[in-house]
Amino acid sequence: MDRDIFRRLALVRLREAKALLEGGYYQGAYYLCGYAVECGIKACLAKKTKRYAFPPEPKAVSQRYYTHSLSALLDEVGGPLAAEMKNHPKWGLTTEWSEGYRYSIDTAPSLAQEFYAAVADKKSGVLTCIKKYW
């Protein structure tokens, strides 16, 4: 995989999350919003690797490149994105997500809607911020 694939995946997963949210499938929407953020951050990580490949050789990078933890991935990206995100008003909501939500079936509609808005807002959303660095 490469940086372009991760960028495209982030946008596709966000569109899928919107469709699920509109269809009343809140758990899937919540999970895919987080996955969109993960793919966006991994696009930023890929930008730091040789020829934008991801994942790079495991011996060449921290094992944290392979995590699903959004906070750990952001720490690996570092630089201006990490600084901006840590002060982003919607980042706190994003850090509550984990890949474990793929097994949950009881996400409140309000949480899914709030998370989608935090990620997708075109002016101040989390993904909008990440796009500046990928």
Side-chain angles (χ1 to χ4, degrees):
M1 294 185 48
D2 62 25
R3 181 173 68 142
D4 185 54
I5 298 268
F6 277 109
R7 289 188 295 211
R8 289 170 45 205
L9 277 170
L11 299 175
V12 167
R13 295 301 172 251
L14 192 61
R15 284 194 305 271
E16 291 170 341
K18 181 179 181 185
L20 289 170
L21 193 62
E22 290 171 348
Y25 297 98
Y26 303 109
Q27 178 52 47
Y30 183 84
Y31 175 70
L32 286 180
C33 280
Y35 191 49
V37 173
E38 179 181 335
C39 288
I41 295 172
K42 286 187 174 179
C44 296
L45 282 172
K47 187 175 181 180
K48 294 174 63 172
T49 64
K50 185 178 180 181
R51 296 187 130 322
Y52 305 134
F54 190 93
E57 291 295 319
K59 293 178 184 176
V61 296
S62 164
Q63 289 301 306
R64 287 174 36 157
Y65 269 50
Y66 299 93
T67 185
H68 297 284
S69 165
L70 301 180
S71 294
L73 289 169
L74 186 63
D75 288 344
E76 284 301 313
V77 171
L81 174 60
E84 187 171 341
M85 290 307 297
K86 289 186 181 190
N87 292 314
H88 193 285
K90 298 173 183 173
W91 179 248
L93 180 62
T94 305
T95 60
E96 295 173 14
W97 179 88
S98 79
E99 79 280 6
Y101 277 98
R102 65 184 159 204
Y103 302 115
S104 181
I105 58 171
D106 59 356
T107 299
S110 59
L111 178 60
Q113 292 163 341
E114 181 182 12
F115 190 37
Y116 178 80
V119 172
D121 185 274
K122 292 191 185 294
K123 289 184 181 180
S124 63
V126 169
L127 197 57
T128 299
C129 181
I130 291 170
K131 285 180 186 180
K132 294 188 290 185
Y133 299 96
W134 70 13

